[in-house]
Amino acid sequence: MTAWLLRRLVQAAFVVLAMTVILFIGLHVIGNPIDILISPEADQADRARAIAALGLDQPLWRQYALFLWGMLHGDLGRSFVFHEPALQLIGERLPATLELAVSAVLLAIVIGIPLGLYAGLYPNSLLGRSAMAGSILGFSLPTFWVGLMLIMLFAVRLGWLPSTGRGQTALLFGIRWSFLTRDGLAHLAMPAFNLALGNIALVLRLVRSGVRETLPLDYVRFARAKGLRPARVVGVHVMKNIMIPVVTVLGLEFGGTIAFSVVTESIFAWPGMGKLIIDSINVLDRPVIVAYLMIIVLMFVAINLVVDLLYTFLDPRVRLEDRG
Amino acid sequence: MSGMAEIAPAAPETPLQRFVRDFTSNRLAVGALVVVLLIALAAIFAPWITPQNPYDLAQLDIMDGRLPPGASSAAGMTYWLGTDDQGRDMLSGIIYGLRISLIVGIGSALIAGVVGSTLGLVAAYAGGRVETAIMRLVDLQLSFPAILVALMILAFLGKGIGNVMIALVLVEWARYARTARGAALVERRREYIEAAECLALPRWRVLFRHLLPNCLPPLIVIGTIQIARAITLEATLSFLGLGVPITEPSLGLLIANGYQYMLSGQYWISFYPGLALLLTIMAINLVGDQLRDVLNPRQQR
Amino acid sequence: MTTVLDVRGLSTHFTTRAGIVRAVDDISFSVARGQVLGLVGESGSGKSVTGFSILGLIDPPGRIAAGRVLFHGVDLVALEERELRRLRGNRIAMIFQDPMMTLNPVLRIDTQMIETVRAHARVSHAEARTRARDALGMVGIASPEERLSAYPHQFSGGMRQRVAIAIALLHRPDLIIADEPTTALDVTIQAQILAEMQTLSREHGTAMIWITHDLSVVAGLADAIAVMYAGRIVETGSVGDVLDRPLHPYTHGLIGSVPSRNRRGARLRQIPGLTPSLLNLPAGCAFRGRCARADAACASDPPATEIAAGHVLRCFHPQLEVVA
Ligand SMILES: Nc1ncnc2c1ncn2[C@@H]1O[C@H](COP(=O)(O)OP(=O)(O)OP(=O)(O)O)[C@@H](O)[C@H]1O
Ligand code: SF4
Ligand SMILES: [Mg+2]
C-alpha cells in the first residue's frame, strides 16, 4: 500500500513537471508578451528597462529555471497588469471558485441521485422518462446558453434571484463565503445550478443504469428473499454498489467542474479565478495564466490521487488486494 | 401459407437500403436530419438568401440599433428578428453566424478525424511502443476537460478563428484515435486481414484499404457527435471573447453581444442566436444518436 | 404428517417482446414437514422460476398467471407484500443456485447476516451477531467470529454457499427451497453439504424443496420427486415410484442418462433432441418432438392422472418397461 502510494506520488510529480515544461515553452515560443505589455510608443530605453524588469531578456532555459525555482518557493511571478504576485491574485479568487464548484457537485448529488434512483426503479414512469430525456439536454445544451436563459427567466422576468455577483458574504476561517448568508445563497443558487447541470445529467444516468444493472442480480434478489424491506434492499444493497462508480466519476469530474466554472463565472460575474483567467488571456498576462494553469494541473493531479484512494477505500475487493 | 407467398418474392435488401430503412425507423431522427440539411443549405447559400450582408459595415445603419423583432428600417426593410446594437439584421447575422459555426465545427471535426483516426489505426497496427506512446497521449489528453485544453492553447496562440480551430482539433483528435484503435483491434482479428497479409500486400495498403473502411461506422458516429461538441465549444469560446473576431461574429459572439442588453429586457439579440445554436446542436446530436443505433449492431435497438 | 406447502395449478408467465414464455405451467405438488422433495429437470425447465414464484419474487415482465401456493394453508399468491415479507427468510428460506453471486460483494458477511436476523426478530445488534456467529458455526465454518467481519470475495465458493445456507437457517424456517445449492461446488464438498442438510431436515423437521438437474443427487436425499419438463411437472411420486417404477418416457430418458457404477462401460444414452423453446409453446405434450412413443393423441394436453396412490403422471402412453 505504501509502495503503491509512493509510486503514484512519483507519477503525479512527473505529470506536474511535464506540465511546467509544456506551459512554459508554449507561452514563450508562440506568444510574445513584449509586444503586448510595452506600449508601442515607448522609446528604446524604456523598452529595455521594462524587459529587464520583467526578466524577459534572459535566455529561455534560465527563465525556466528561475520559474521552476520560484514555483518551489510559491512564487509564480508578478502579474504584468496588477503588479501583484500571480499566486496571490489566484489565491484571493480561489475560494469563490471552490465554493461554486463544490456547490455544483453537491447539487449534482442531491438532485442526480434521487432522480436516477427513481428513473432506475420506475423506468417507464413519466418522471423516469422525463428525467432521462432531460439528462440528454443536460449533456448537449451549451452551459452558457442555459446560464443566459436562467438569468432571463429568474432574474429578468420573474425577478426572484439576483443575476450577478456573490452577494453578501460572511467570514469563516478568515475567508469570505457566500453560502453563509441568505443574500449570498440567493446569488449562489443560479450559477451553482448552471455549473451542476452536466454533472446532474451524468449522475442521473450513472445511478439509473447502475440500478437497472444491479436490480436483477442474484444478490439483490437474495436480499429480498431474506425478507428485507425494500428501503433496505435499495438503500443498502443496491446503493452501496452504485456509489462506487458515482463517487469515482464525480471525483474525477470535480476538476472539470472547476475548469468549466470559467464559463459560469463569466456569465454570472462570479468573482472567481475563472473570470480572472479569461481577462488574463485577453491581455496575455503571462504569469497569471501560468499560475492558473499550474494550480489547475496540481488540483487535477491531487484529485486523481484522492479519488484513487477513495476508490480503494470504497471497494473492498480492491481495498484488500495487495496494491504494493 | 399466403403469408409465405407474400414474403418470398421480395428482393434481397442492399446494405444501403437496409441502412435507410433502419435510419428512417425513428421519426424524430428523420426530422432532425431535415433540420440539419436545412441549416446546412441556409449556411451555404447565406449570401443569396439573407436580406443583408451583416459583415459589410457599409450596409449597417447604427440608427437602426436594437430594434425589436418585426421593426422596419428607414429603407423599408423588415427586421424579422430585430437588430443588434450595431443595427445588424439579426436574421442575417444568425445565418452568417451559422456559417462560421458550421465551418469551424465541421472543419475541425474533419481534420481531427483524419489526424486522430490515422494515429489510432497506426497504434492498432504497429503495436508495441508506438501504440503505448500514442495511447498514453490519448489518455492524458482525455483526462483534461476540453475547455481547459482549449483555454491553454488559446492562451499560447492568442485569439482568432484559426487558433480556435487548432484548439478544437487538439481537443478532439484523441477521441477519434481511441475509437479507431478500438475498432481496428476488433477488425484486425478478422480473417480478411490475415488473407490480405497472406497476399503480401504492402502494410499501408492493408491499413487503409482494408482496416479503415471497416472502422468507418464507429468513426462516423463519433464524428457526428464531435461536430456538435465542436460547435458548442466554439460558441463557448467565442462567448468568452476568445474566439472569432468581432467583425465576423459567430453564434457564440452574437449571444455574447446581446448579453448586456438582455438584462434590460432586449432579449432578442441573445435569444434568437441561442435558439439557432440550440437547434443545430440538438439536431446533429439526434442524428448522431440514431446513426449509432443503426450502425452499431451490438447495441440493442 | 402435516403439509407445509401445497402448490395448486401454479402458472408463471413472462411477457416478452417475442411472445409469452410459460416458464411454469399449471404445476401442483406438496411437501410435508421433515420431507424433502426433489424437483428435477433439464436446464430451463422452470425449476428456479418455481422457487421464486413460491416466495413471490417474480418481477415484471413475469407474473403468476394462475394457481395457489398454500403455506400452512395460507395462499401466498393472494397475500399482501408486507405479509409475504414477514415469511421470507423467516418461515420460508431460499438458497440460490450460484454461491458466487448470492452475497453482496461490497457488504461484510456480518452485515448481511445481522440484517437478516433483525428483519424478523427484535433483538439487539450484539444478540443478532451472536446468532449469526452460531449459524456460521453450525454449517461448519471454522473460527466463525473472525469470518464474520470478512467480505464475500475472501471466501471460496463452497464457503459462500455455507454462508448462504447459514443465512437460510437463521430463523429455523419451516421450508427451505434449495436451488441447486451444490452444483457449483466440487464433489466432496457437495457430499458434505448434502449430508448436513439432510441431518438438519431430519432434526428440525424442516420441509425442503431440493432443486437439481441431477437425479443421482436426489436419489439418496429426497423422499419424493417431481420431474419437470418445459414448465410442467410430468411425473411425480415417491422416490421409489419415480426412480424404480418410472412411467413417463422423459423420466426414463433422465434415468438412462445418469452415469452409474453398475452400468460402467455402457454408453450413456442421451435423450435425443432439444428442449423446446418455452416461447409460445404449442398445445399438446411438450415432449412429443423427442418422444419415441408419441402419436396423434399427444397433440392434445395429457391430463394429470394418478396412476397409483401419490404417483401422478402426465402422459398418454406410459412406458412400463425399462428400455435396455
Ligand atoms: N425474466 C425472464 N424473462 C423471460 N424469460 C424468463 C425470465 N426468467 C426466466 N425465464 C425463462 O423461464 C424458463 C425457466 O427458467 P429457470 O431459470 O426456472 O430454469 P431452471 O430450470 O432453473 O434452469 P437451470 O437448471 O439452468 O437453472 C427459461 O426458459 C427462461 O428462459
Ligand atoms: S404424452 Fe405422448 S409425447 Fe408426451 S410423453 Fe407421453 S407418449 Fe410421449
Ligand atoms: Mg435455475
Side-chain angles (χ1 to χ4, degrees):
Chain A
M1 190 70 196
T2 340
W4 169 79
L5 192 66
L6 218 69
R7 213 176 42 214
R8 286 289 279 108
L9 281 173
V10 171
Q11 260 176 20
F14 262 107
V15 173
V16 173
L17 200 69
M19 280 312 292
T20 63
V21 177
I22 293 176
L23 286 182
F24 195 80
I25 291 184
L27 280 170
H28 272 81
V29 174
I30 306 161
N32 186 1
I34 300 176
D35 296 340
I36 292 168
L37 286 160
I38 303 166
S39 149
E41 282 115 52
D43 60 38
Q44 239 6 69
D46 276 352
R47 245 181 113 80
R49 215 173 310 120
I51 286 172
L54 294 171
L56 296 172
D57 55 345
Q58 310 269 354
L60 271 188
W61 68 268
R62 258 197 81 89
Q63 286 191 43
Y64 177 68
L66 279 172
F67 163 72
L68 212 56
W69 182 248
M71 206 175 73
L72 286 175
H73 294 81
D75 174 14
L76 285 167
R78 279 175 167 272
S79 161
F80 294 160
V81 179
F82 296 94
H83 306 291
E84 253 182 77
L87 209 56
Q88 187 186 323
L89 268 175
I90 296 199
E92 283 163 5
R93 288 160 174 80
L94 186 63
T97 298
L98 282 183
E99 182 176 27
L100 187 60
V102 169
S103 311
V105 169
L106 287 181
L107 271 182
I109 292 173
V110 173
I111 300 176
I113 290 181
L115 271 181
L117 208 56
Y118 189 88
L121 290 175
Y122 312 102
N124 294 323
S125 64
L126 187 67
L127 182 62
R129 282 163 185 264
S130 337
M132 273 310 273
S135 77
I136 296 174
L137 290 182
F139 276 130
S140 51
L141 292 186
T143 316
F144 74 93
W145 187 81
V146 177
L148 293 187
M149 291 305 110
L150 287 176
I151 290 183
M152 203 161 109
L153 184 65
F154 291 106
V156 180
R157 281 283 138 107
L158 301 171
W160 289 353
L161 292 168
S163 60
T164 52
R166 271 188 96 175
Q168 198 184 339
T169 56
L171 220 55
L172 182 71
F173 306 124
I175 300 170
R176 307 216 137 264
W177 303 101
S178 290
F179 72 94
L180 295 173
T181 68
R182 263 186 82 117
D183 181 54
L185 269 180
H187 279 82
L188 182 59
M190 267 203 290
F193 180 73
N194 185 216
L195 189 57
L197 220 59
N199 285 339
I200 292 176
L202 189 69
V203 170
L204 194 158
R205 288 186 153 236
L206 266 178
V207 171
R208 188 193 111 107
S209 68
V211 171
R212 303 291 317 142
E213 273 164 31
T214 317
L215 274 186
L217 291 183
D218 266 6
Y219 64 76
V220 173
R221 194 177 261 187
F222 188 64
R224 290 162 64 199
K226 295 194 298 189
L228 304 184
R229 280 173 297 115
R232 170 119 194 142
V233 174
V234 173
V236 176
H237 284 262
V238 174
M239 279 317 282
K240 188 100 200 257
N241 274 277
I242 295 173
M243 282 325 281
I244 295 170
V246 169
V247 167
T248 312
V249 168
L250 263 185
L252 292 176
E253 282 296 312
F254 186 64
T257 307
I258 289 178
F260 237 94
S261 68
V262 164
V263 181
T264 303
E265 287 178 15
S266 297
I267 300 169
F268 294 93
W270 188 262
M273 59 181 189
K275 220 177 129 20
L276 176 71
I277 183 68
I278 297 296
D279 297 340
S280 299
I281 290 178
N282 271 321
V283 297
L284 221 76
D285 192 353
R286 195 175 44 150
V288 178
I289 297 173
V290 170
Y292 171 82
L293 291 176
M294 274 323 296
I295 289 211
I296 287 267
V297 167
L298 279 175
M299 274 183 176
F300 258 84
V301 169
I303 288 168
N304 275 317
L305 211 62
V306 170
V307 168
D308 247 22
L309 283 172
L310 213 60
Y311 180 71
T312 313
F313 175 75
L314 276 179
D315 194 335
R317 285 161 295 189
V318 185
R319 188 194 314 166
L320 296 147
E321 234 170 64
D322 187 12
R323 292 186 77 162
Chain B
M1 278 301 105
S2 67
M4 293 276 268
E6 277 164 33
I7 293 163
E13 258 182 332
T14 66
L16 185 69
Q17 280 171 331
R18 219 189 100 86
F19 172 79
V20 170
R21 182 174 57 88
D22 282 351
F23 189 91
T24 49
S25 69
N26 183 340
R27 281 215 211 125
L28 192 61
V30 176
L33 186 65
V34 171
V35 170
V36 169
L37 290 178
L38 284 179
I39 288 173
L41 284 177
I44 292 169
F45 295 108
W48 291 279
I49 58 170
T50 55
Q52 191 188 64
N53 179 356
Y55 301 158
D56 182 1
L57 296 175
Q59 289 188 29
L60 304 185
D61 185 350
I62 201 89
M63 297 304 290
D64 284 352
R66 291 188 269 147
L67 290 179
S72 302
S73 72
M77 186 180 102
T78 310
Y79 297 119
W80 293 110
L81 300 181
T83 61
D84 69 5
D85 51 334
Q86 294 172 48
R88 183 182 282 133
D89 173 39
M90 286 314 296
L91 183 62
S92 308
I94 287 171
I95 293 175
Y96 271 81
L98 268 175
R99 209 175 194 205
I100 296 185
S101 292
L102 284 181
I103 289 173
V104 172
I106 296 173
S108 64
L110 275 181
I111 300 172
V114 170
V115 174
S117 22
T118 305
L119 283 172
L121 287 183
V122 167
Y125 202 73
R129 275 198 200 160
V130 178
E131 183 175 23
T132 314
I134 294 178
M135 294 326 286
R136 274 274 161 85
L137 212 57
V138 167
D139 289 341
L140 187 73
Q141 163 83 75
L142 288 180
S143 71
F144 286 96
I147 185 95
L148 188 67
V149 177
L151 279 183
M152 204 187 294
I153 292 159
L154 290 177
F156 295 160
L157 301 181
K159 305 188 277 184
I161 194 164
N163 292 344
V164 167
M165 277 185 73
I166 294 176
L168 290 178
V169 169
L170 283 172
V171 165
E172 285 182 0
W173 72 275
R175 222 169 275 276
Y176 291 100
R178 181 176 277 182
T179 308
R181 172 171 166 272
L185 284 182
V186 175
E187 295 296 335
R188 240 189 87 164
R189 273 181 232 121
R190 302 241 174 111
E191 44 193 348
Y192 54 84
I193 295 291
E194 282 163 41
E197 271 171 357
C198 286
L199 293 173
L201 291 175
R203 272 190 145 203
W204 62 267
R205 260 197 84 159
V206 176
L207 204 59
F208 287 98
R209 293 294 292 274
H210 296 265
L211 265 177
L212 188 59
N214 289 290
C215 302
L216 264 183
L219 284 174
I220 290 174
V221 173
I222 290 289
T224 318
I225 299 196
Q226 288 288 70
I227 289 176
R229 285 171 56 102
I231 291 177
T232 312
L233 194 55
E234 184 276 326
T236 305
L237 292 170
S238 292
F239 177 80
L240 293 174
L242 303 177
V244 298
I246 195 104
T247 47
E248 295 187 2
S250 70
L251 293 178
L253 196 55
L254 285 175
I255 297 171
N257 284 343
Y259 174 45
Q260 48 181 314
Y261 304 110
M262 206 179 72
L263 296 179
S264 54
Q266 289 162 339
Y267 67 92
W268 61 89
I269 311 178
S270 265
F271 183 78
Y272 289 115
L275 211 58
L277 177 68
L278 203 67
L279 206 63
T280 312
I281 292 168
M282 295 302 289
I284 296 178
N285 270 328
L286 281 172
V287 171
D289 277 351
Q290 178 70 356
L291 279 179
R292 175 170 49 216
D293 288 353
V294 173
L295 291 177
N296 190 350
R298 269 163 302 182
Q299 207 161 33
Q300 57 185 34
R301 305 247 165 87
Chain C
M1 275 202 299
T2 38
T3 303
V4 175
L5 183 79
D6 192 14
V7 174
R8 291 289 124 215
L10 179 71
S11 292
T12 302
H13 297 170
F14 291 90
T15 314
T16 66
R17 217 173 278 185
I20 291 180
V21 177
R22 292 188 166 79
V24 170
D25 193 10
D26 189 17
I27 63 169
S28 302
F29 62 84
S30 63
V31 201
R33 208 178 119 78
Q35 201 194 20
V36 179
L37 171 76
L39 187 59
V40 190
E42 285 172 303
S43 187
S45 54
K47 308 181 297 289
S48 298
V49 172
T50 304
F52 294 137
S53 302
I54 294 170
L55 277 174
L57 288 178
I58 299 291
D59 295 320
R63 69 189 177 90
I64 295 179
R68 292 192 295 168
V69 175
L70 300 168
F71 179 70
H72 290 310
V74 179
D75 186 6
L76 302 186
V77 176
L79 212 58
E80 265 188 51
E81 175 66 20
R82 278 173 56 103
E83 300 294 319
L84 203 52
R85 207 161 64 223
R86 278 202 200 131
L87 295 176
R88 286 189 201 129
N90 186 15
R91 303 325 319 143
I92 311 175
M94 186 159 171
I95 302 163
F96 283 27
Q97 201 161 356
D98 184 357
M100 305 307 273
M101 296 294 296
T102 309
L103 299 172
N104 194 326
V106 298
L107 296 177
R108 293 194 333 201
I109 301 295
D110 56 359
T111 313
Q112 303 194 45
M113 295 189 79
I114 290 168
E115 66 181 4
T116 318
V117 175
R118 300 186 76 184
H120 304 292
R122 294 177 139 252
V123 295
S124 70
H125 187 88
E127 164 66 13
R129 197 183 155 89
T130 312
R131 288 199 197 174
R133 191 194 56 210
D134 293 348
L136 280 189
M138 203 152 71
V139 293
I141 285 181
S143 49
E145 181 60 45
E146 289 159 37
R147 295 312 236 157
L148 266 181
S149 42
Y151 283 93
H153 71 272
Q154 294 167 292
F155 283 47
S156 69
M159 298 273 278
R160 288 193 211 186
Q161 199 60 292
R162 280 162 193 268
V163 174
I165 293 170
I167 290 176
L169 297 176
L170 278 172
H171 294 283
R172 298 267 161 85
D174 302 333
L175 173 68
I176 294 181
I177 303 166
D179 189 355
E180 310 206 36
T182 56
T183 319
L185 312 178
D186 61 56
V187 185
T188 33
I189 297 173
Q190 199 172 334
Q192 242 177 340
I193 290 187
L194 281 181
E196 282 165 17
M197 294 294 288
Q198 202 165 20
T199 318
L200 282 168
S201 162
R202 295 272 150 75
E203 283 175 4
H204 301 293
T206 312
M208 237 191 275
I209 298 174
W210 194 280
I211 296 174
T212 178
H213 58 254
D214 189 351
L215 265 184
S216 60
V217 167
V218 286
L221 177 79
D223 304 298
I225 290 180
V227 178
M228 224 174 155
Y229 185 78
R232 296 191 155 188
I233 291 183
V234 292
E235 181 165 12
T236 176
S238 67
V239 177
D241 284 341
V242 175
L243 293 187
D244 301 337
R245 298 173 291 279
L247 291 173
H248 198 281
Y250 177 64
T251 316
H252 277 278
L254 273 184
I255 294 172
S257 64
V258 172
S260 74
R261 247 172 249 131
N262 43 24
R263 275 193 289 128
R264 192 189 301 249
R267 245 185 90 232
L268 283 181
R269 277 175 295 117
Q270 289 297 324
I271 309 171
L274 292 171
T275 328
S277 158
L278 294 184
L279 198 67
N280 304 325
L281 200 65
C285 176
F287 191 56
R288 70 181 185 279
R290 302 166 78 182
C291 179
R293 308 170 71 87
D295 65 11
C298 307
S300 52
D301 281 336
T305 348
E306 187 151 13
I307 300 280
H311 191 175
V312 182
L313 187 73
R314 272 181 184 265
C315 175
F316 288 115
H317 312 293
Q319 179 180 348
L320 294 165
E321 73 290 359
V322 175
V323 182

